[in-house]
Amino acid sequence: MNQELENKAEELEQTLAKQLELLKRDSEDWIKIGGIALAGGLIAMAILKTKKRKKNKSTEKALALLEKEGLLTEEIKERLKHKPKSSGFFPTLGQRLMVLGLAYAKEKYLPNLFSTGSEEDAPTGNEKNQ
């Protein structure tokens, strides 16, 4: 009985070792993918920061020039510093209509897209008689 327990314990240890090895191999792939995603995100963030800094620098130059010339007003300052807002109700209406149109097309045409035109779908003469 003691020998059986030792054999069973050895088998379980080997199984656990194999599972840990598989987990390590699989996690290496996930770590690589995560590292690539993290690096891509950092690069994108750096690019966006440099673009924003460049835009802010040109805005500050324009503000300084206008102030130097004496043409700087609060309205101009607000326009240069803040992003323009959306142009109202109609662009969102167009987007909503496009989404509705796509949903309608999906419901109407997608089920029939892959059908082969089998006899089940085709009308038969028996339907008139029934």
Side-chain angles (χ1 to χ4, degrees), residues 51-90:
K51 282 189 173 188
K52 186 175 180 180
R53 202 174 304 139
K54 188 182 284 186
K55 183 180 177 186
N56 287 343
K57 190 183 262 187
S58 66
T59 303
E60 292 299 323
K61 284 182 182 179
L63 285 173
L65 180 65
L66 287 172
E67 189 174 352
K68 182 180 176 184
E69 296 293 325
L71 300 173
L72 185 62
T73 62
E74 284 298 320
E75 182 183 350
I76 293 173
K77 193 174 187 179
E78 287 296 317
R79 282 187 183 180
L80 287 174
K81 287 209 171 209
H82 296 298
K83 294 180 183 178
K85 295 182 180 180
S86 99
S87 59
F89 179 73
F90 290 108

PDB file of all heavy atoms in Angstrom, residues 51-90:
ATOM      1  N   LYS A  51       2.950  65.646 -31.080  1.00  0.00           N
ATOM      2  CA  LYS A  51       2.066  66.418 -31.954  1.00  0.00           C
ATOM      3  C   LYS A  51       1.313  67.480 -31.155  1.00  0.00           C
ATOM      4  O   LYS A  51       1.163  68.616 -31.602  1.00  0.00           O
ATOM      5  CB  LYS A  51       1.072  65.507 -32.664  1.00  0.00           C
ATOM      6  CG  LYS A  51       1.670  64.763 -33.828  1.00  0.00           C
ATOM      7  CD  LYS A  51       0.600  64.054 -34.607  1.00  0.00           C
ATOM      8  CE  LYS A  51       1.209  63.455 -35.858  1.00  0.00           C
ATOM      9  NZ  LYS A  51       0.174  62.921 -36.734  1.00  0.00           N
ATOM     10  N   LYS A  52       0.844  67.105 -29.967  1.00  0.00           N
ATOM     11  CA  LYS A  52       0.113  68.059 -29.143  1.00  0.00           C
ATOM     12  C   LYS A  52       1.042  69.182 -28.689  1.00  0.00           C
ATOM     13  O   LYS A  52       0.652  70.350 -28.688  1.00  0.00           O
ATOM     14  CB  LYS A  52      -0.484  67.350 -27.930  1.00  0.00           C
ATOM     15  CG  LYS A  52      -1.378  68.225 -27.101  1.00  0.00           C
ATOM     16  CD  LYS A  52      -2.022  67.448 -25.986  1.00  0.00           C
ATOM     17  CE  LYS A  52      -2.923  68.349 -25.171  1.00  0.00           C
ATOM     18  NZ  LYS A  52      -3.569  67.638 -24.080  1.00  0.00           N
ATOM     19  N   ARG A  53       2.269  68.822 -28.324  1.00  0.00           N
ATOM     20  CA  ARG A  53       3.231  69.838 -27.892  1.00  0.00           C
ATOM     21  C   ARG A  53       3.533  70.807 -29.026  1.00  0.00           C
ATOM     22  O   ARG A  53       3.618  72.017 -28.835  1.00  0.00           O
ATOM     23  CB  ARG A  53       4.515  69.147 -27.417  1.00  0.00           C
ATOM     24  CG  ARG A  53       5.333  69.990 -26.485  1.00  0.00           C
ATOM     25  CD  ARG A  53       6.523  69.252 -25.920  1.00  0.00           C
ATOM     26  NE  ARG A  53       6.142  68.028 -25.238  1.00  0.00           N
ATOM     27  CZ  ARG A  53       6.816  66.882 -25.333  1.00  0.00           C
ATOM     28  NH1 ARG A  53       7.902  66.808 -26.052  1.00  0.00           N
ATOM     29  NH2 ARG A  53       6.422  65.809 -24.692  1.00  0.00           N
ATOM     30  N   LYS A  54       3.665  70.250 -30.241  1.00  0.00           N
ATOM     31  CA  LYS A  54       3.950  71.104 -31.408  1.00  0.00           C
ATOM     32  C   LYS A  54       2.773  72.044 -31.666  1.00  0.00           C
ATOM     33  O   LYS A  54       2.961  73.226 -31.959  1.00  0.00           O
ATOM     34  CB  LYS A  54       4.203  70.231 -32.627  1.00  0.00           C
ATOM     35  CG  LYS A  54       4.705  70.993 -33.839  1.00  0.00           C
ATOM     36  CD  LYS A  54       4.882  70.092 -35.029  1.00  0.00           C
ATOM     37  CE  LYS A  54       6.133  69.249 -34.889  1.00  0.00           C
ATOM     38  NZ  LYS A  54       6.411  68.458 -36.093  1.00  0.00           N
ATOM     39  N   LYS A  55       1.550  71.537 -31.550  1.00  0.00           N
ATOM     40  CA  LYS A  55       0.367  72.358 -31.770  1.00  0.00           C
ATOM     41  C   LYS A  55       0.271  73.439 -30.697  1.00  0.00           C
ATOM     42  O   LYS A  55      -0.011  74.598 -30.991  1.00  0.00           O
ATOM     43  CB  LYS A  55      -0.890  71.490 -31.742  1.00  0.00           C
ATOM     44  CG  LYS A  55      -2.155  72.259 -32.027  1.00  0.00           C
ATOM     45  CD  LYS A  55      -3.361  71.359 -31.993  1.00  0.00           C
ATOM     46  CE  LYS A  55      -4.612  72.164 -32.216  1.00  0.00           C
ATOM     47  NZ  LYS A  55      -5.807  71.371 -32.057  1.00  0.00           N
ATOM     48  N   ASN A  56       0.532  73.058 -29.454  1.00  0.00           N
ATOM     49  CA  ASN A  56       0.486  74.038 -28.367  1.00  0.00           C
ATOM     50  C   ASN A  56       1.549  75.110 -28.545  1.00  0.00           C
ATOM     51  O   ASN A  56       1.310  76.283 -28.253  1.00  0.00           O
ATOM     52  CB  ASN A  56       0.652  73.352 -27.008  1.00  0.00           C
ATOM     53  CG  ASN A  56      -0.585  72.581 -26.605  1.00  0.00           C
ATOM     54  OD1 ASN A  56      -1.661  72.788 -27.145  1.00  0.00           O
ATOM     55  ND2 ASN A  56      -0.420  71.670 -25.668  1.00  0.00           N
ATOM     56  N   LYS A  57       2.711  74.705 -29.034  1.00  0.00           N
ATOM     57  CA  LYS A  57       3.789  75.666 -29.236  1.00  0.00           C
ATOM     58  C   LYS A  57       3.396  76.691 -30.307  1.00  0.00           C
ATOM     59  O   LYS A  57       3.610  77.889 -30.144  1.00  0.00           O
ATOM     60  CB  LYS A  57       5.071  74.941 -29.648  1.00  0.00           C
ATOM     61  CG  LYS A  57       6.304  75.818 -29.658  1.00  0.00           C
ATOM     62  CD  LYS A  57       7.513  75.038 -30.139  1.00  0.00           C
ATOM     63  CE  LYS A  57       8.323  74.561 -28.970  1.00  0.00           C
ATOM     64  NZ  LYS A  57       9.588  73.934 -29.397  1.00  0.00           N
ATOM     65  N   SER A  58       2.803  76.215 -31.402  1.00  0.00           N
ATOM     66  CA  SER A  58       2.392  77.149 -32.459  1.00  0.00           C
ATOM     67  C   SER A  58       1.256  78.042 -31.988  1.00  0.00           C
ATOM     68  O   SER A  58       1.188  79.224 -32.342  1.00  0.00           O
ATOM     69  CB  SER A  58       1.995  76.382 -33.722  1.00  0.00           C
ATOM     70  OG  SER A  58       0.846  75.605 -33.488  1.00  0.00           O
ATOM     71  N   THR A  59       0.360  77.510 -31.159  1.00  0.00           N
ATOM     72  CA  THR A  59      -0.725  78.319 -30.607  1.00  0.00           C
ATOM     73  C   THR A  59      -0.164  79.401 -29.692  1.00  0.00           C
ATOM     74  O   THR A  59      -0.603  80.563 -29.745  1.00  0.00           O
ATOM     75  CB  THR A  59      -1.712  77.433 -29.828  1.00  0.00           C
ATOM     76  OG1 THR A  59      -2.206  76.420 -30.699  1.00  0.00           O
ATOM     77  CG2 THR A  59      -2.879  78.236 -29.295  1.00  0.00           C
ATOM     78  N   GLU A  60       0.796  79.027 -28.865  1.00  0.00           N
ATOM     79  CA  GLU A  60       1.400  80.006 -27.963  1.00  0.00           C
ATOM     80  C   GLU A  60       2.136  81.097 -28.749  1.00  0.00           C
ATOM     81  O   GLU A  60       2.088  82.280 -28.376  1.00  0.00           O
ATOM     82  CB  GLU A  60       2.358  79.318 -26.991  1.00  0.00           C
ATOM     83  CG  GLU A  60       1.673  78.407 -25.987  1.00  0.00           C
ATOM     84  CD  GLU A  60       0.692  79.137 -25.094  1.00  0.00           C
ATOM     85  OE1 GLU A  60       0.961  80.296 -24.715  1.00  0.00           O
ATOM     86  OE2 GLU A  60      -0.364  78.553 -24.793  1.00  0.00           O
ATOM     87  N   LYS A  61       2.790  80.702 -29.842  1.00  0.00           N
ATOM     88  CA  LYS A  61       3.459  81.700 -30.685  1.00  0.00           C
ATOM     89  C   LYS A  61       2.448  82.675 -31.284  1.00  0.00           C
ATOM     90  O   LYS A  61       2.673  83.884 -31.330  1.00  0.00           O
ATOM     91  CB  LYS A  61       4.252  81.031 -31.808  1.00  0.00           C
ATOM     92  CG  LYS A  61       5.550  80.420 -31.377  1.00  0.00           C
ATOM     93  CD  LYS A  61       6.267  79.822 -32.569  1.00  0.00           C
ATOM     94  CE  LYS A  61       7.561  79.162 -32.167  1.00  0.00           C
ATOM     95  NZ  LYS A  61       8.247  78.561 -33.321  1.00  0.00           N
ATOM     96  N   ALA A  62       1.330  82.133 -31.758  1.00  0.00           N
ATOM     97  CA  ALA A  62       0.296  82.985 -32.352  1.00  0.00           C
ATOM     98  C   ALA A  62      -0.293  83.918 -31.303  1.00  0.00           C
ATOM     99  O   ALA A  62      -0.516  85.109 -31.569  1.00  0.00           O
ATOM    100  CB  ALA A  62      -0.801  82.119 -32.967  1.00  0.00           C
ATOM    101  N   LEU A  63      -0.518  83.412 -30.101  1.00  0.00           N
ATOM    102  CA  LEU A  63      -1.041  84.252 -29.026  1.00  0.00           C
ATOM    103  C   LEU A  63      -0.051  85.352 -28.668  1.00  0.00           C
ATOM    104  O   LEU A  63      -0.433  86.513 -28.441  1.00  0.00           O
ATOM    105  CB  LEU A  63      -1.359  83.409 -27.789  1.00  0.00           C
ATOM    106  CG  LEU A  63      -2.621  82.557 -27.858  1.00  0.00           C
ATOM    107  CD1 LEU A  63      -2.720  81.645 -26.646  1.00  0.00           C
ATOM    108  CD2 LEU A  63      -3.843  83.430 -27.965  1.00  0.00           C
ATOM    109  N   ALA A  64       1.223  85.011 -28.605  1.00  0.00           N
ATOM    110  CA  ALA A  64       2.241  86.011 -28.272  1.00  0.00           C
ATOM    111  C   ALA A  64       2.306  87.094 -29.343  1.00  0.00           C
ATOM    112  O   ALA A  64       2.424  88.289 -29.030  1.00  0.00           O
ATOM    113  CB  ALA A  64       3.600  85.333 -28.114  1.00  0.00           C
ATOM    114  N   LEU A  65       2.232  86.671 -30.605  1.00  0.00           N
ATOM    115  CA  LEU A  65       2.279  87.639 -31.694  1.00  0.00           C
ATOM    116  C   LEU A  65       1.067  88.567 -31.671  1.00  0.00           C
ATOM    117  O   LEU A  65       1.202  89.788 -31.824  1.00  0.00           O
ATOM    118  CB  LEU A  65       2.358  86.909 -33.039  1.00  0.00           C
ATOM    119  CG  LEU A  65       2.417  87.787 -34.274  1.00  0.00           C
ATOM    120  CD1 LEU A  65       3.716  88.590 -34.282  1.00  0.00           C
ATOM    121  CD2 LEU A  65       2.296  86.953 -35.521  1.00  0.00           C
ATOM    122  N   LEU A  66      -0.127  88.003 -31.457  1.00  0.00           N
ATOM    123  CA  LEU A  66      -1.331  88.830 -31.396  1.00  0.00           C
ATOM    124  C   LEU A  66      -1.295  89.785 -30.211  1.00  0.00           C
ATOM    125  O   LEU A  66      -1.731  90.932 -30.309  1.00  0.00           O
ATOM    126  CB  LEU A  66      -2.576  87.943 -31.329  1.00  0.00           C
ATOM    127  CG  LEU A  66      -2.960  87.238 -32.626  1.00  0.00           C
ATOM    128  CD1 LEU A  66      -4.093  86.246 -32.377  1.00  0.00           C
ATOM    129  CD2 LEU A  66      -3.359  88.235 -33.691  1.00  0.00           C
ATOM    130  N   GLU A  67      -0.774  89.297 -29.095  1.00  0.00           N
ATOM    131  CA  GLU A  67      -0.680  90.160 -27.918  1.00  0.00           C
ATOM    132  C   GLU A  67       0.310  91.297 -28.160  1.00  0.00           C
ATOM    133  O   GLU A  67       0.078  92.438 -27.773  1.00  0.00           O
ATOM    134  CB  GLU A  67      -0.264  89.340 -26.704  1.00  0.00           C
ATOM    135  CG  GLU A  67      -0.338  90.096 -25.409  1.00  0.00           C
ATOM    136  CD  GLU A  67      -0.064  89.205 -24.213  1.00  0.00           C
ATOM    137  OE1 GLU A  67       0.033  87.981 -24.388  1.00  0.00           O
ATOM    138  OE2 GLU A  67       0.060  89.747 -23.115  1.00  0.00           O
ATOM    139  N   LYS A  68       1.406  90.960 -28.832  1.00  0.00           N
ATOM    140  CA  LYS A  68       2.423  91.971 -29.146  1.00  0.00           C
ATOM    141  C   LYS A  68       1.838  93.053 -30.050  1.00  0.00           C
ATOM    142  O   LYS A  68       2.132  94.236 -29.899  1.00  0.00           O
ATOM    143  CB  LYS A  68       3.615  91.295 -29.809  1.00  0.00           C
ATOM    144  CG  LYS A  68       4.759  92.219 -30.133  1.00  0.00           C
ATOM    145  CD  LYS A  68       5.876  91.423 -30.775  1.00  0.00           C
ATOM    146  CE  LYS A  68       6.998  92.330 -31.210  1.00  0.00           C
ATOM    147  NZ  LYS A  68       8.056  91.590 -31.911  1.00  0.00           N
ATOM    148  N   GLU A  69       1.009  92.636 -31.007  1.00  0.00           N
ATOM    149  CA  GLU A  69       0.405  93.575 -31.941  1.00  0.00           C
ATOM    150  C   GLU A  69      -0.781  94.312 -31.336  1.00  0.00           C
ATOM    151  O   GLU A  69      -1.291  95.265 -31.914  1.00  0.00           O
ATOM    152  CB  GLU A  69      -0.053  92.843 -33.213  1.00  0.00           C
ATOM    153  CG  GLU A  69       1.062  92.232 -34.025  1.00  0.00           C
ATOM    154  CD  GLU A  69       1.967  93.274 -34.655  1.00  0.00           C
ATOM    155  OE1 GLU A  69       1.474  94.337 -35.050  1.00  0.00           O
ATOM    156  OE2 GLU A  69       3.181  93.017 -34.719  1.00  0.00           O
ATOM    157  N   GLY A  70      -1.262  93.814 -30.195  1.00  0.00           N
ATOM    158  CA  GLY A  70      -2.393  94.458 -29.547  1.00  0.00           C
ATOM    159  C   GLY A  70      -3.733  94.033 -30.110  1.00  0.00           C
ATOM    160  O   GLY A  70      -4.732  94.716 -29.921  1.00  0.00           O
ATOM    161  N   LEU A  71      -3.767  92.912 -30.805  1.00  0.00           N
ATOM    162  CA  LEU A  71      -5.013  92.446 -31.422  1.00  0.00           C
ATOM    163  C   LEU A  71      -5.667  91.297 -30.651  1.00  0.00           C
ATOM    164  O   LEU A  71      -6.693  90.785 -31.074  1.00  0.00           O
ATOM    165  CB  LEU A  71      -4.729  91.974 -32.856  1.00  0.00           C
ATOM    166  CG  LEU A  71      -4.153  93.024 -33.792  1.00  0.00           C
ATOM    167  CD1 LEU A  71      -3.750  92.400 -35.109  1.00  0.00           C
ATOM    168  CD2 LEU A  71      -5.163  94.140 -34.014  1.00  0.00           C
ATOM    169  N   LEU A  72      -5.089  90.913 -29.548  1.00  0.00           N
ATOM    170  CA  LEU A  72      -5.589  89.759 -28.801  1.00  0.00           C
ATOM    171  C   LEU A  72      -6.815  90.142 -27.981  1.00  0.00           C
ATOM    172  O   LEU A  72      -6.773  91.059 -27.161  1.00  0.00           O
ATOM    173  CB  LEU A  72      -4.505  89.215 -27.873  1.00  0.00           C
ATOM    174  CG  LEU A  72      -4.848  87.941 -27.119  1.00  0.00           C
ATOM    175  CD1 LEU A  72      -5.115  86.810 -28.098  1.00  0.00           C
ATOM    176  CD2 LEU A  72      -3.743  87.574 -26.167  1.00  0.00           C
ATOM    177  N   THR A  73      -7.920  89.457 -28.238  1.00  0.00           N
ATOM    178  CA  THR A  73      -9.137  89.642 -27.456  1.00  0.00           C
ATOM    179  C   THR A  73      -9.471  88.300 -26.799  1.00  0.00           C
ATOM    180  O   THR A  73      -8.908  87.257 -27.146  1.00  0.00           O
ATOM    181  CB  THR A  73     -10.316  90.079 -28.345  1.00  0.00           C
ATOM    182  OG1 THR A  73     -10.585  89.045 -29.291  1.00  0.00           O
ATOM    183  CG2 THR A  73     -10.029  91.391 -29.048  1.00  0.00           C
ATOM    184  N   GLU A  74     -10.414  88.331 -25.877  1.00  0.00           N
ATOM    185  CA  GLU A  74     -10.811  87.092 -25.182  1.00  0.00           C
ATOM    186  C   GLU A  74     -11.430  86.094 -26.160  1.00  0.00           C
ATOM    187  O   GLU A  74     -11.218  84.895 -26.048  1.00  0.00           O
ATOM    188  CB  GLU A  74     -11.802  87.413 -24.053  1.00  0.00           C
ATOM    189  CG  GLU A  74     -11.150  88.002 -22.836  1.00  0.00           C
ATOM    190  CD  GLU A  74     -10.157  87.058 -22.186  1.00  0.00           C
ATOM    191  OE1 GLU A  74     -10.435  85.846 -22.098  1.00  0.00           O
ATOM    192  OE2 GLU A  74      -9.085  87.538 -21.779  1.00  0.00           O
ATOM    193  N   GLU A  75     -12.186  86.596 -27.120  1.00  0.00           N
ATOM    194  CA  GLU A  75     -12.829  85.706 -28.098  1.00  0.00           C
ATOM    195  C   GLU A  75     -11.781  84.976 -28.936  1.00  0.00           C
ATOM    196  O   GLU A  75     -11.868  83.764 -29.151  1.00  0.00           O
ATOM    197  CB  GLU A  75     -13.756  86.515 -28.999  1.00  0.00           C
ATOM    198  CG  GLU A  75     -14.500  85.660 -30.003  1.00  0.00           C
ATOM    199  CD  GLU A  75     -15.361  86.496 -30.943  1.00  0.00           C
ATOM    200  OE1 GLU A  75     -15.526  87.708 -30.711  1.00  0.00           O
ATOM    201  OE2 GLU A  75     -15.850  85.904 -31.910  1.00  0.00           O
ATOM    202  N   ILE A  76     -10.778  85.698 -29.402  1.00  0.00           N
ATOM    203  CA  ILE A  76      -9.712  85.079 -30.207  1.00  0.00           C
ATOM    204  C   ILE A  76      -8.925  84.092 -29.358  1.00  0.00           C
ATOM    205  O   ILE A  76      -8.578  82.998 -29.820  1.00  0.00           O
ATOM    206  CB  ILE A  76      -8.790  86.167 -30.798  1.00  0.00           C
ATOM    207  CG1 ILE A  76      -9.559  87.003 -31.819  1.00  0.00           C
ATOM    208  CG2 ILE A  76      -7.567  85.544 -31.441  1.00  0.00           C
ATOM    209  CD1 ILE A  76      -8.802  88.205 -32.338  1.00  0.00           C
ATOM    210  N   LYS A  77      -8.674  84.469 -28.120  1.00  0.00           N
ATOM    211  CA  LYS A  77      -7.940  83.586 -27.221  1.00  0.00           C
ATOM    212  C   LYS A  77      -8.699  82.271 -27.004  1.00  0.00           C
ATOM    213  O   LYS A  77      -8.115  81.190 -27.039  1.00  0.00           O
ATOM    214  CB  LYS A  77      -7.721  84.300 -25.879  1.00  0.00           C
ATOM    215  CG  LYS A  77      -6.729  83.645 -24.984  1.00  0.00           C
ATOM    216  CD  LYS A  77      -6.494  84.530 -23.758  1.00  0.00           C
ATOM    217  CE  LYS A  77      -5.376  83.990 -22.916  1.00  0.00           C
ATOM    218  NZ  LYS A  77      -5.103  84.825 -21.752  1.00  0.00           N
ATOM    219  N   GLU A  78     -10.009  82.364 -26.791  1.00  0.00           N
ATOM    220  CA  GLU A  78     -10.835  81.169 -26.604  1.00  0.00           C
ATOM    221  C   GLU A  78     -10.842  80.298 -27.855  1.00  0.00           C
ATOM    222  O   GLU A  78     -10.760  79.084 -27.784  1.00  0.00           O
ATOM    223  CB  GLU A  78     -12.274  81.559 -26.233  1.00  0.00           C
ATOM    224  CG  GLU A  78     -12.427  82.073 -24.834  1.00  0.00           C
ATOM    225  CD  GLU A  78     -12.098  81.022 -23.787  1.00  0.00           C
ATOM    226  OE1 GLU A  78     -12.526  79.861 -23.958  1.00  0.00           O
ATOM    227  OE2 GLU A  78     -11.419  81.360 -22.813  1.00  0.00           O
ATOM    228  N   ARG A  79     -10.951  80.921 -29.013  1.00  0.00           N
ATOM    229  CA  ARG A  79     -10.971  80.167 -30.273  1.00  0.00           C
ATOM    230  C   ARG A  79      -9.665  79.426 -30.513  1.00  0.00           C
ATOM    231  O   ARG A  79      -9.656  78.309 -31.022  1.00  0.00           O
ATOM    232  CB  ARG A  79     -11.239  81.090 -31.445  1.00  0.00           C
ATOM    233  CG  ARG A  79     -12.674  81.485 -31.584  1.00  0.00           C
ATOM    234  CD  ARG A  79     -12.875  82.250 -32.858  1.00  0.00           C
ATOM    235  NE  ARG A  79     -14.252  82.691 -32.978  1.00  0.00           N
ATOM    236  CZ  ARG A  79     -14.696  83.371 -33.998  1.00  0.00           C
ATOM    237  NH1 ARG A  79     -13.889  83.722 -34.974  1.00  0.00           N
ATOM    238  NH2 ARG A  79     -15.959  83.727 -34.049  1.00  0.00           N
ATOM    239  N   LEU A  80      -8.561  80.053 -30.176  1.00  0.00           N
ATOM    240  CA  LEU A  80      -7.266  79.415 -30.401  1.00  0.00           C
ATOM    241  C   LEU A  80      -6.968  78.316 -29.376  1.00  0.00           C
ATOM    242  O   LEU A  80      -6.320  77.332 -29.704  1.00  0.00           O
ATOM    243  CB  LEU A  80      -6.141  80.458 -30.367  1.00  0.00           C
ATOM    244  CG  LEU A  80      -6.047  81.379 -31.572  1.00  0.00           C
ATOM    245  CD1 LEU A  80      -4.987  82.437 -31.340  1.00  0.00           C
ATOM    246  CD2 LEU A  80      -5.739  80.590 -32.826  1.00  0.00           C
ATOM    247  N   LYS A  81      -7.449  78.455 -28.167  1.00  0.00           N
ATOM    248  CA  LYS A  81      -7.102  77.508 -27.112  1.00  0.00           C
ATOM    249  C   LYS A  81      -8.019  76.299 -27.057  1.00  0.00           C
ATOM    250  O   LYS A  81      -7.606  75.231 -26.628  1.00  0.00           O
ATOM    251  CB  LYS A  81      -7.087  78.204 -25.757  1.00  0.00           C
ATOM    252  CG  LYS A  81      -5.898  79.102 -25.592  1.00  0.00           C
ATOM    253  CD  LYS A  81      -5.533  79.199 -24.155  1.00  0.00           C
ATOM    254  CE  LYS A  81      -4.213  79.925 -24.054  1.00  0.00           C
ATOM    255  NZ  LYS A  81      -3.467  79.522 -22.923  1.00  0.00           N
ATOM    256  N   HIS A  82      -9.267  76.422 -27.450  1.00  0.00           N
ATOM    257  CA  HIS A  82     -10.213  75.326 -27.298  1.00  0.00           C
ATOM    258  C   HIS A  82     -10.527  74.677 -28.642  1.00  0.00           C
ATOM    259  O   HIS A  82     -10.532  75.321 -29.678  1.00  0.00           O
ATOM    260  CB  HIS A  82     -11.502  75.824 -26.649  1.00  0.00           C
ATOM    261  CG  HIS A  82     -11.294  76.330 -25.258  1.00  0.00           C
ATOM    262  ND1 HIS A  82     -10.835  75.533 -24.237  1.00  0.00           N
ATOM    263  CD2 HIS A  82     -11.462  77.555 -24.720  1.00  0.00           C
ATOM    264  CE1 HIS A  82     -10.730  76.244 -23.138  1.00  0.00           C
ATOM    265  NE2 HIS A  82     -11.109  77.483 -23.399  1.00  0.00           N
ATOM    266  N   LYS A  83     -10.828  73.377 -28.552  1.00  0.00           N
ATOM    267  CA  LYS A  83     -11.188  72.622 -29.753  1.00  0.00           C
ATOM    268  C   LYS A  83     -12.571  73.057 -30.227  1.00  0.00           C
ATOM    269  O   LYS A  83     -13.439  73.379 -29.420  1.00  0.00           O
ATOM    270  CB  LYS A  83     -11.242  71.130 -29.437  1.00  0.00           C
ATOM    271  CG  LYS A  83      -9.921  70.525 -29.089  1.00  0.00           C
ATOM    272  CD  LYS A  83     -10.099  69.056 -28.801  1.00  0.00           C
ATOM    273  CE  LYS A  83      -8.800  68.438 -28.375  1.00  0.00           C
ATOM    274  NZ  LYS A  83      -8.963  67.020 -28.037  1.00  0.00           N
ATOM    275  N   PRO A  84     -12.782  73.003 -31.535  1.00  0.00           N
ATOM    276  CA  PRO A  84     -14.126  73.329 -32.029  1.00  0.00           C
ATOM    277  C   PRO A  84     -15.106  72.217 -31.653  1.00  0.00           C
ATOM    278  O   PRO A  84     -14.764  71.040 -31.639  1.00  0.00           O
ATOM    279  CB  PRO A  84     -13.946  73.417 -33.545  1.00  0.00           C
ATOM    280  CG  PRO A  84     -12.719  72.652 -33.834  1.00  0.00           C
ATOM    281  CD  PRO A  84     -11.858  72.733 -32.606  1.00  0.00           C
ATOM    282  N   LYS A  85     -16.342  72.619 -31.338  1.00  0.00           N
ATOM    283  CA  LYS A  85     -17.366  71.643 -30.984  1.00  0.00           C
ATOM    284  C   LYS A  85     -17.979  71.067 -32.245  1.00  0.00           C
ATOM    285  O   LYS A  85     -17.780  71.564 -33.343  1.00  0.00           O
ATOM    286  CB  LYS A  85     -18.426  72.309 -30.122  1.00  0.00           C
ATOM    287  CG  LYS A  85     -17.891  72.763 -28.783  1.00  0.00           C
ATOM    288  CD  LYS A  85     -18.973  73.374 -27.949  1.00  0.00           C
ATOM    289  CE  LYS A  85     -18.398  73.813 -26.620  1.00  0.00           C
ATOM    290  NZ  LYS A  85     -19.415  74.412 -25.771  1.00  0.00           N
ATOM    291  N   SER A  86     -18.760  69.994 -32.068  1.00  0.00           N
ATOM    292  CA  SER A  86     -19.410  69.392 -33.226  1.00  0.00           C
ATOM    293  C   SER A  86     -20.379  70.390 -33.832  1.00  0.00           C
ATOM    294  O   SER A  86     -20.908  71.257 -33.153  1.00  0.00           O
ATOM    295  CB  SER A  86     -20.117  68.104 -32.829  1.00  0.00           C
ATOM    296  OG  SER A  86     -21.478  68.313 -32.640  1.00  0.00           O
ATOM    297  N   SER A  87     -20.641  70.221 -35.106  1.00  0.00           N
ATOM    298  CA  SER A  87     -21.397  71.238 -35.827  1.00  0.00           C
ATOM    299  C   SER A  87     -22.901  71.080 -35.682  1.00  0.00           C
ATOM    300  O   SER A  87     -23.645  71.540 -36.536  1.00  0.00           O
ATOM    301  CB  SER A  87     -20.996  71.227 -37.292  1.00  0.00           C
ATOM    302  OG  SER A  87     -21.256  69.963 -37.830  1.00  0.00           O
ATOM    303  N   GLY A  88     -23.377  70.427 -34.660  1.00  0.00           N
ATOM    304  CA  GLY A  88     -24.801  70.442 -34.387  1.00  0.00           C
ATOM    305  C   GLY A  88     -25.468  69.094 -34.488  1.00  0.00           C
ATOM    306  O   GLY A  88     -24.858  68.040 -34.318  1.00  0.00           O
ATOM    307  N   PHE A  89     -26.741  69.134 -34.806  1.00  0.00           N
ATOM    308  CA  PHE A  89     -27.607  67.959 -34.767  1.00  0.00           C
ATOM    309  C   PHE A  89     -27.496  67.100 -36.015  1.00  0.00           C
ATOM    310  O   PHE A  89     -27.598  65.886 -35.956  1.00  0.00           O
ATOM    311  CB  PHE A  89     -29.049  68.442 -34.591  1.00  0.00           C
ATOM    312  CG  PHE A  89     -30.051  67.339 -34.569  1.00  0.00           C
ATOM    313  CD1 PHE A  89     -30.157  66.517 -33.466  1.00  0.00           C
ATOM    314  CD2 PHE A  89     -30.873  67.118 -35.641  1.00  0.00           C
ATOM    315  CE1 PHE A  89     -31.074  65.494 -33.442  1.00  0.00           C
ATOM    316  CE2 PHE A  89     -31.792  66.095 -35.625  1.00  0.00           C
ATOM    317  CZ  PHE A  89     -31.906  65.281 -34.523  1.00  0.00           C
ATOM    318  N   PHE A  90     -27.267  67.699 -37.170  1.00  0.00           N
ATOM    319  CA  PHE A  90     -27.353  66.965 -38.418  1.00  0.00           C
ATOM    320  C   PHE A  90     -26.262  65.915 -38.625  1.00  0.00           C
ATOM    321  O   PHE A  90     -26.565  64.857 -39.170  1.00  0.00           O
ATOM    322  CB  PHE A  90     -27.436  67.935 -39.592  1.00  0.00           C
ATOM    323  CG  PHE A  90     -28.742  68.655 -39.621  1.00  0.00           C
ATOM    324  CD1 PHE A  90     -28.821  69.994 -39.285  1.00  0.00           C
ATOM    325  CD2 PHE A  90     -29.902  67.989 -39.948  1.00  0.00           C
ATOM    326  CE1 PHE A  90     -30.029  70.652 -39.282  1.00  0.00           C
ATOM    327  CE2 PHE A  90     -31.127  68.641 -39.949  1.00  0.00           C
ATOM    328  CZ  PHE A  90     -31.190  69.984 -39.612  1.00  0.00           C
TER     329      PHE A  90
END
